[in-house]
Amino acid sequence: MSASMLPPDGSFIEMTSYGETLPEVRVVHASGPVITLSLALAQVPPANSTVELRWAAAPRGRYAQEGHVVAVDGNRVEVRFTGKPLVLQSRSYVRGGGGEQIVMIRPDREPAEGVVHDMSERAVRAHFTDIVLESGEEMVLRILLGDEEVAFPASALKVSSMRQQVPVSGPLSVEMVAVFDDQNETQAKIIRRYIMRHQLLARQRGS
């Protein structure tokens, strides 16, 4: 694979291993057919397993590349690419947004309101206050996009909680990355259209 197609060192890419998609895997170094990645120990794929990696391709697509895990050292994983990279959704993959209202709905619990940090058609990163949430929990997420609302069944992929301590013990701050379980193309198009409009307006304000 040519160097211009490889993800840059220090960037974040998406990896699917055994059906689970991790949206933020850090690239330590990529050179030729081998890429070294860093991720949480609990998420490290086993040696000799097959993974799929995806990362941004100009202007708005993504590369998808299968690979074989050739070495594991703690939280570092070395993957050798197999086959040729595919370019996915050349004009449609986008990530952006931020500040939108999001509501988490779970069985036998009160709905929880939060704020979106960013999102794509596949996943959302959001902040909630004073909720108890564990990785793997299933939910329905409702997101308000301008004057439209989308709703997706989702699973919590990554959760980190921290209680404010200064100046006094305060509310529990919860950061969550959730992946959408069901790729409803109509809903995905609404997200895509909203993010692209959001980015266009931001560019116009900045010019």
Side-chain angles (χ1 to χ4, degrees):
M1 184 185 295
S2 72
S4 64
M5 295 166 67
L6 291 168
D9 295 355
S11 64
F12 287 88
I13 66 173
E14 193 175 83
M15 179 178 81
T16 299
S17 169
Y18 289 102
E20 183 183 30
T21 298
L22 309 171
E24 294 185 330
V25 176
R26 190 168 69 84
V27 176
V28 178
H29 184 62
S31 176
V34 175
I35 185 169
T36 304
L37 307 170
S38 172
L39 61 166
L41 280 172
Q43 298 171 337
V44 169
N48 300 316
S49 64
T50 298
V51 295
E52 185 178 274
L53 307 177
R54 289 175 294 277
W55 64 93
R60 274 205 197 97
R62 287 188 303 164
Y63 291 117
Q65 172 73 62
E66 286 207 338
H68 188 73
V69 178
V70 291
V72 176
D73 182 9
N75 69 336
R76 292 201 170 189
V77 176
E78 209 166 271
V79 174
R80 180 175 290 277
F81 293 132
T82 54
K84 292 184 176 178
L86 299 173
V87 177
L88 300 177
Q89 300 176 319
S90 185
R91 297 294 304 171
S92 60
Y93 179 77
V94 292
R95 187 179 186 93
E100 296 79 14
Q101 182 187 22
I102 183 170
V103 179
M104 178 192 301
I105 299 163
R106 293 177 288 172
D108 306 321
R109 294 183 187 241
E110 288 290 312
E113 291 189 6
V115 177
V116 170
H117 282 320
D118 60 29
M119 61 187 150
S120 71
E121 305 101 310
R122 291 168 172 259
V124 63
R125 196 160 56 97
H127 175 268
F128 294 86
T129 302
D130 275 345
I131 63 167
V132 176
L133 179 66
E134 295 181 2
S135 296
E137 278 197 58
E138 296 185 351
M139 63 197 71
V140 171
L141 294 175
R142 289 207 318 258
I143 308 170
L144 193 61
L145 304 176
D147 54 1
E148 293 182 277
E149 185 177 84
V150 291
F152 292 99
S155 304
L157 181 67
K158 190 164 65 173
V159 179
S160 58
S161 304
M162 184 184 299
R163 188 170 297 282
Q164 180 185 312
Q165 300 293 350
V166 181
V168 293
S169 181
L172 191 66
S173 176
V174 180
E175 296 279 335
M176 172 193 78
V177 175
V179 289
F180 303 135
D181 297 337
D182 176 29
Q183 275 303 294
N184 178 320
E185 184 55 27
T186 304
Q187 303 280 61
K189 278 181 180 172
I190 294 172
I191 286 187
R192 210 151 51 218
R193 200 168 58 233
Y194 170 81
I195 292 173
M196 291 171 77
R197 194 166 62 229
H198 196 272
Q199 291 173 341
L200 182 64
L201 289 171
R203 279 200 298 272
Q204 288 172 345
R205 282 197 299 269
S207 61

